[in-house]
Amino acid sequence: FRPGQAVVTCESSEDEEHDEGTDEEDAVGKQRAFNRSAVVQGGKHPDWLTEPAAVAEISLPPLSSAEVVYLPPEVAEQRLLSSPQLESVAYAARRFQTHLPSGVRAGYYLGDGTGCGKGRVIAALVWHLWNSGAKRHVWLSASNDLLADATRDFQDIGADLPLCNLSFHSYGPILGGGGLDAEGNGIIFASYHLLVSSKTSADAVSPET
C-alpha cells in the first residue's frame, strides 16, 4: 500500500468519540501526547505515546503518493499496525533505498521507547523487504528468550515467514531447514551473547568462513 494516501481503518464509534483532543501537551513535563501519526493515515495506537514538545514541532519530510510499502493493505485497514508504527515503517523503507557516500546501504535508527511496538515495526520492515525480494535477514536481540516475542510479532501482523534460532545451529555454513526454507532463506534470530561466544573444539570454524 501507499502510506502517503488515506487508509480506511476499522475503528468503532467509541474510538472516534474519544479521539477529540488526542494531541495534547503537558505544560509541566513539556511532553506532547499523541496516538496518531501526523504524516501517515491510519488507525490510532492502542496506548498513548509521548514525545518532547520541541521534537513535536519538527515537521517530517512528506511521503509522496509514489512511495510504496510492500505490505498487504489489511495491515493498515485492520489496524494490525497503528499509524505511528506505519510511519516508522514508511520512513525506514525510504531510508533503506539510499546509499551512504561510502557506497554501503543506509540504515535507520528506531529510537522508540517501551510501549511503541518496536517488535511489530521490525517484523513489518522485514516483511516489506521480503516482499521486495530481500529474503535473508538477521534479527539481533538482547536475549534469546525474546525469540517468542519476535515470532508473535510476525504472527500478529499476518506474516508467515521462515524464522530460525541461530543457537540451534552448529558452527559452519547454515543451509536450509531448521526454520529456514529449502533455499536457506528466512530470518535468523540471534542474541548478542551468542555472537560473542566461542567454540573451543578443534573443528571450530573461523569467523571468516
Side-chain angles (χ1 to χ4, degrees):
F1 71 96
R2 301 180 187 276
Q5 297 180 346
V7 176
V8 178
T9 58
C10 303
E11 293 186 335
S12 65
S13 58
E14 182 179 355
D15 288 337
E16 296 300 329
E17 290 176 1
H18 289 83
D19 201 32
E20 297 181 1
T22 53
D23 293 339
E24 300 177 353
E25 183 178 330
D26 183 346
V28 177
K30 297 187 182 302
Q31 292 286 316
R32 172 181 171 269
F34 67 100
N35 56 12
R36 284 187 188 274
S37 167
V39 180
V40 176
Q41 301 295 321
K44 297 189 301 183
H45 197 72
D47 297 310
W48 285 99
L49 305 172
T50 63
E51 63 184 355
V55 173
E57 295 299 322
I58 300 174
S59 298
L60 292 171
L63 294 167
S64 72
S65 59
E67 294 185 82
V68 178
V69 173
Y70 293 100
L71 297 175
E74 294 77 14
V75 172
E77 296 169 353
Q78 299 178 14
R79 301 171 64 184
L80 302 180
L81 289 174
S82 66
S83 60
Q85 291 171 322
L86 287 170
E87 176 185 292
S88 295
V89 174
Y91 282 102
R94 169 193 279 185
R95 182 64 174 164
F96 290 163
Q97 294 178 357
T98 64
H99 290 80
L100 301 178
S102 63
V104 301
R105 188 174 298 276
Y108 184 83
Y109 179 78
L110 182 61
D112 292 341
T114 303
C116 295
K118 294 185 293 297
R120 282 201 186 193
V121 171
I122 295 173
L125 276 170
V126 171
W127 198 10
H128 157 77
L129 294 170
W130 180 277
N131 293 334
S132 303
K135 304 291 187 179
R136 296 186 177 186
H137 306 271
V138 177
W139 185 323
L140 300 179
S141 185
S143 170
N144 198 52
D145 296 335
L146 296 177
L147 173 61
D149 293 338
T151 303
R152 182 203 62 225
D153 289 325
F154 280 110
Q155 293 174 345
D156 287 347
I157 63 173
D160 184 17
L161 301 182
L163 179 64
C164 84
N165 190 339
L166 182 60
S167 65
F168 292 166
H169 292 267
S170 60
Y171 278 69
I174 299 177
L175 306 176
L180 300 177
D181 67 15
E183 298 179 351
N185 298 324
I187 301 96
I188 295 178
F189 185 93
S191 66
Y192 301 125
H193 175 74
L194 183 63
L195 294 182
V196 299
S197 63
S198 62
K199 181 176 172 63
T200 58
S201 62
D203 61 343
V205 178
S206 67
E208 290 77 15
T209 302

